[in-house]
Amino acid sequence: MYDVCVIGSGPGGYVCAIKAAQLGLKVACVEKYPVLGGTCLNVGCIPSKSLLSSSEFYHKVQTQANDYGIKTGALGLDFSKMTEKKSSVVTGFNQGISGLFKKNKVKEIHGTASFVSKDEISIDGKEKIKAKNFVIATGSKPTELPFLPFDEKKILSSTGALALTKVPKTLLVVGAGIIGVELGSVYSRLGTKVVFLEFLDRICPTLDTDSSKLLQKLLTKQGLTFHLGAKVTKGSASASGVSLDVEIKGKIEKFNAEHALVAVGRRPYTDDLNLKNAGVSVDEKGFITIDSGFKTTTPNIYAIGDTVDGPMLAHKAEEEGMAVAELLANKSPKIEYMAIPSVVYTDPEVAGVGLTEAAAKERSLSVKVGKFPFKANSRARAIGDDEGFVKIIADSASNQVLGMHIIGPHAGELIAEGVLAITKKLRADDIAHTSHAHPTLSEAIKEAALMVTSKALHI
Ligand code: FAD
Ligand code: NAD
């Protein structure tokens, strides 16, 4: 009998298991696949960031080395070595999590978990495990278009797109959301002609509108093509490629390519769990119903991460994993959902936290906006990477920071200052009166904060 049995070893599940064990509980973690780490480590965050980094390096040497006075010989691409590097990073972390389980005395069990009752699961229909509490952390799977099922050869999900063994000549990307622009960037940098078909009138719709517009402009400059307001209505695949019928402005157009990557969102994954046996309910979209303390409709069963409503992000799943472990150890954790950042790892990176300007308007909030361009930041100019801006949205009366949006070099690292400001309910003048080293990109944050409260110094 375990105190806690965590089902799923993604960033939500494995963090929950380790934290619960550190707090003195007897813990088991069950994972369906032979390796730990879930979507994020095996087919998500980590392999995509490895390929993004390698392809960016290649592209920059190819397109910019000359501007920096660097002479190169003929440049070549060894794609299989690039993918080997990606796989070795993943394998290293698989072993790392297993090591952390051993160190913290978490029992590692492999097999598919299915509820027998609210107190018991079976593993692969055989071995039974009893626990006082269960935490469901079984994550999500890519959403399939009914008329375009994944075959992972021609019609790819992100998993298939991360496993290609050859750089395609052409790629259609259905959905210009985060997965689309990240993986589209990877292949475009390696020489693929990438064409996006996006249903809405802008790319990455969860971003602040200014960031998403500039991102589209800069990616277009890099050679990616976007068709907005484009509805894919039909599709077929053959050995030679993919053909899609797409409705644009009321007319059907045909698009052909070697592969299509379908990246139209992800759905919660609870298929194998037999939730009914445990009395656990899901909503109409398949998300597990929970209360404010992550309890499902069955009080000894909790659910976290991509299985519950909210942004499908690894660090959100981790926060929830930590919180449930603490709740089970009779502590009182609190997650500041407004302060969960989101980063798009394109070039330039895009990061945001808190309210977008549009969301502030929708809530009829009176806000002030400070927006400072990297073109006026000395470090960005010195490194020759000066596209983008820092935008701060603050309450008009109190100057409290409500949102921060950054597009530009290292935006994903810089956003941590906005996360702290929102978590600690700081005002723009707190940031403006904080020393930022010179010359650094972070000075653009201080300047944007100065623009909220008075005037920037350098424009
Ligand atoms: P998952 O990571 O999905 O883990 C769930 C685990 O449960 C899996 O290992 C699964 O095998 C296991 N499981 C399922 N059913 C059972 C069962 N019945 N029994 C036993 N085990 C089971 N997020 C970011 O924050 N940053 C990024 O840069 C980022 N990049 C991404 C790139 C891609 C291509 C993709 C697809 C996603 C990316 N994400 C990113 C999203 C991130 O991967 C997810 O939000 C995160 O993995 C969710 O964590 P989780 O623990 O809820 O579930
Ligand atoms: P997404 O929700 O980010 O984007 C999906 C896009 O597809 C949207 O722009 C949507 O308008 C469009 N779309 C939907 N149906 C369509 C259709 N029929 N035809 C054309 N376009 C259509 O989803 P995603 O890119 O698949 O990513 C899934 C999840 O994974 C996201 O929630 C994201 O948070 C997470 N993720 C995060 C990161 C990161 O944090 N860097 C990276 C990758 C994935």
Side-chain angles (χ1 to χ4, degrees):
M1 169 71 94
Y2 292 94
D3 293 320
V4 193
C5 175
V6 182
I7 308 173
S9 71
Y14 89 75
V15 165
C16 181
I18 290 173
K19 188 70 193 171
Q22 286 174 348
L23 291 169
L25 300 172
K26 188 177 173 197
V27 185
C29 181
V30 186
E31 170 53 52
K32 179 176 173 172
Y33 290 113
V35 287
L36 301 175
T39 304
C40 175
L41 173 54
N42 296 291
V43 291
C45 323
I46 303 302
S48 62
K49 266 78 253 179
S50 171
L51 286 183
L52 275 158
S53 160
S54 303
S55 62
E56 185 178 349
F57 194 8
Y58 173 70
H59 189 246
K60 284 211 156 138
V61 173
Q62 198 176 41
T63 55
Q64 293 177 24
N66 203 33
D67 301 345
Y68 288 83
I70 299 166
K71 295 239 175 279
T72 57
L75 206 62
L77 179 66
D78 185 343
F79 187 57
S80 56
K81 193 156 184 189
M82 204 178 263
T83 57
E84 266 167 38
K85 186 169 163 51
K86 170 203 73 174
S87 303
S88 75
V89 172
V90 171
T91 311
F93 281 125
N94 290 140
Q95 288 157 0
I97 300 174
S98 213
L100 289 173
F101 273 7
K102 279 194 191 86
K103 187 176 157 196
N104 288 285
K105 301 192 173 55
V106 173
K107 173 81 177 159
E108 178 179 335
I109 300 167
H110 290 274
T112 301
S114 184
F115 282 100
V116 176
S117 70
K118 71 178 187 47
D119 307 306
E120 194 176 43
I121 54 169
S122 68
I123 310 293
D124 291 334
K126 292 177 236 149
E127 185 195 350
K128 302 259 168 64
I129 289 180
K130 277 187 186 290
K132 289 182 199 151
N133 300 285
F134 287 92
V135 181
I136 303 173
T138 48
S140 61
K141 291 279 179 209
T143 304
E144 210 166 40
L145 292 174
F147 53 85
L148 212 54
F150 299 123
D151 60 20
E152 303 299 10
K153 289 189 177 82
K154 292 291 163 190
I155 316 286
L156 309 172
S157 71
S158 51
T159 303
L162 285 167
L164 289 177
T165 51
K166 191 174 138 270
V167 177
K169 286 198 171 58
T170 50
L171 176 68
L172 291 170
V173 182
V174 185
I178 307 189
I179 290 182
V181 296
E182 286 189 354
L183 295 182
S185 290
V186 166
Y187 287 106
S188 168
R189 292 164 185 172
L190 301 179
T192 307
K193 175 77 197 141
V194 178
V195 175
F196 285 87
L197 304 161
E198 165 59 49
F199 185 70
L200 296 178
D201 61 356
R202 69 183 180 106
I203 70 167
C204 296
T206 51
L207 296 179
D208 189 82
T209 313
D210 286 351
S211 298
S212 102
K213 278 190 181 152
L214 182 59
L215 179 66
Q216 186 186 339
K217 188 174 147 198
L218 296 174
L219 292 180
T220 304
K221 232 165 130 182
Q222 287 167 28
L224 296 103
T225 304
F226 294 92
H227 294 278
L228 304 181
K231 187 176 170 196
V232 182
T233 55
K234 235 165 72 181
S236 61
S238 66
S240 59
V242 180
S243 175
L244 302 182
D245 281 10
V246 185
E247 191 182 319
I248 302 173
K249 292 186 185 149
K251 280 193 192 144
I252 299 289
E253 292 184 32
K254 274 222 180 295
F255 286 82
N256 300 301
E258 244 175 87
H259 302 276
L261 160 61
V262 179
V264 296
R266 295 177 62 83
R267 64 168 179 92
Y269 181 64
T270 56
D271 295 8
D272 303 313
L273 285 172
N274 235 327
L275 292 176
K276 275 197 185 126
N277 280 354
V280 172
S281 303
V282 298
D283 69 14
E284 66 284 356
K285 289 185 180 157
F287 288 107
I288 297 177
T289 312
I290 49 166
D291 67 10
S292 57
F294 306 98
K295 272 194 171 116
T296 66
T297 38
T298 300
N300 71 319
I301 303 178
Y302 297 74
I304 58 170
D306 283 7
T307 66
V308 298
D309 200 8
M312 287 183 164
L313 295 170
H315 44 283
K316 179 254 190 190
E318 284 183 29
E319 290 296 324
E320 293 180 343
M322 286 258 291
V324 168
E326 288 177 352
L327 281 168
L328 290 169
N330 298 317
K331 297 187 181 300
S332 314
K334 184 174 180 302
I335 299 177
E336 194 64 69
Y337 280 97
M338 266 282 285
I340 296 205
S342 165
V343 179
V344 187
Y345 296 84
T346 41
D347 178 24
E349 287 183 357
V350 194
V353 61
L355 293 182
T356 60
E357 203 176 345
K361 272 207 185 99
E362 263 168 38
R363 295 177 187 204
S364 306
L365 297 176
S366 169
V367 296
K368 289 193 279 191
V369 175
K371 191 172 164 190
F372 187 83
F374 279 112
K375 284 210 171 4
N377 171 273
S378 52
R379 183 68 185 276
R381 293 290 288 264
I383 63 174
D385 200 353
D386 61 7
E387 292 284 4
F389 55 78
V390 174
K391 176 171 170 180
I392 295 179
I393 297 158
D395 179 77
S396 295
S398 66
N399 282 337
Q400 187 181 327
V401 178
L402 302 176
M404 188 183 288
H405 303 279
I406 308 177
I407 174 165
H410 303 289
E413 306 294 336
L414 292 171
I415 199 66
E417 188 166 351
V419 174
L420 193 63
I422 292 179
T423 306
K424 294 295 165 198
K425 304 196 174 6
L426 300 181
R427 295 169 323 200
D429 26 321
D430 292 321
I431 296 177
H433 291 101
T434 298
S435 175
H436 290 69
H438 177 75
T440 61
L441 299 165
S442 71
E443 286 173 288
I445 299 177
K446 178 176 175 139
E447 293 272 16
L450 275 169
M451 289 170 91
V452 169
T453 54
S454 56
K455 278 185 179 161
L457 293 165
H458 292 92
I459 46 170

